[in-house]
DNA sequence: CCGAATCCAACACGATACTG
DNA sequence: CAGTATCGTGTTGGATTCGG
């Protein structure tokens, strides 16, 4: 069994869900990816991930810091400057993450193809041939 | 770099996000875990994952089917019977997933410890000593 | 420059009721 | 047995504004 059911049923927060809740959000993996290249400043991260909002970047970094995956260093200069870098724990997460990313890149086309097949199969089943449409009584709303 | 930025910026849906959106939801990994043990009927899956609602189980299975990770077989008997099983694509995803799960199990304590440290550090900074509380001018609301 | 606070829309999820 | 339909709710994330 993939997941340790006993731990899960004890309700003491399934470790898998705990981890997936984080890496499953929209930006965490992208931020980890940037930090893999070394220490980065907040503004550098923003520019590197153009469509992340300030709010989400700050939130994502705080979560990563709280989980001990990222180290945050504040330099009380003017203007202020904050550096972020992976901890050892953070770097250790990158290893299995790489496996998942490799799978995603390697099988994304297969997944998209499956979705197209599924979508067309669905309309074929859900949408009757045109000759029958006029008699369709199910209301659109 | 962990994530293929070029693909990401082309906006043609980053494969990583596409995969994480799915395995990041509440039930997908749990369902995959059950199906790893072999073919399962709908009702068996429900009993195996006690706190999943009928709605979420059906939805999760439909997503997995659409993505080509799970094969759905309907037997038009009375009462009806539907079998679910992993496809080859689904089984191939389980491999990297296992790595992530191993990390989660192996480092969950470290993450929880980091969170406790972070939480206490936060209250220490946010909540001034009692002697100063009376003079605190920042309104609670 | 870094980030907190607020407001708001979209959606994931659960509970319940109903169907073939 | 195996779902779908509907409703209500909490959470996620984006836009904007303010502060140190």
């Amino acid at each position: 069994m993939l997941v340790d059911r006993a731990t899960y049923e004890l309700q003491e927060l399934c470790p898998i869900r705990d981890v997936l809740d984080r890496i499953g959000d929209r930006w965490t993996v992208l931020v980890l990816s940037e930090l893999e290249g070394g220490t980065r400043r907040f503004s550098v991260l923003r520019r590197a991930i153009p469509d992340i909002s300030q709010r989400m970047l700050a939130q994502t970094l705080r979560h990563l810091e709280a989980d001990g995956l990222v180290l945050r260093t504040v330099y009380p200069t003017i203007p202020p400057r904050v550096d972020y870098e992976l901890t050892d724990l953070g770097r250790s997460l990158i290893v299995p993450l790489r496996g998942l990313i490799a799978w995603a890149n390697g099988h994304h086309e297969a997944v998209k193809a499956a979705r197209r097949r599924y979508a067309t199969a669905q309309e074929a089943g859900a949408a009757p041939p045109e000759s029958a449409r006029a008699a369709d009584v199910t209301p659109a709303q």
Side-chain angles (χ1 to χ4, degrees), chain A residues 135-141:
Chain A
D136 190 351
V137 280
T138 59
Q141 188 186 7

Side-chain angles (χ1 to χ4, degrees), chain A residues 39-109:
Chain A
T39 302
R40 295 281 187 273
R41 300 184 51 172
F42 188 91
S43 52
V44 171
L45 289 172
R46 264 200 96 176
R47 279 192 296 276
I49 311 173
D51 46 357
I52 195 174
S53 68
Q54 205 174 23
R55 178 192 196 276
M56 283 297 109
L57 179 55
Q59 190 175 96
T60 302
L61 287 167
R62 273 203 317 277
H63 283 156
L64 288 171
E65 187 198 2
D67 288 0
L69 302 176
V70 158
L71 178 65
R72 177 175 182 267
T73 311
V74 181
Y75 300 94
T77 56
I78 308 243
R81 165 199 175 132
V82 183
D83 278 356
Y84 296 92
E85 61 187 306
L86 291 179
T87 62
D88 288 342
L89 192 59
R91 270 184 290 274
S92 76
L93 172 57
I94 294 232
V95 177
L97 212 49
R98 230 190 279 271
L100 203 63
I101 288 172
W103 188 93
N105 283 321
H107 300 271
H108 192 216
E109 286 309 319

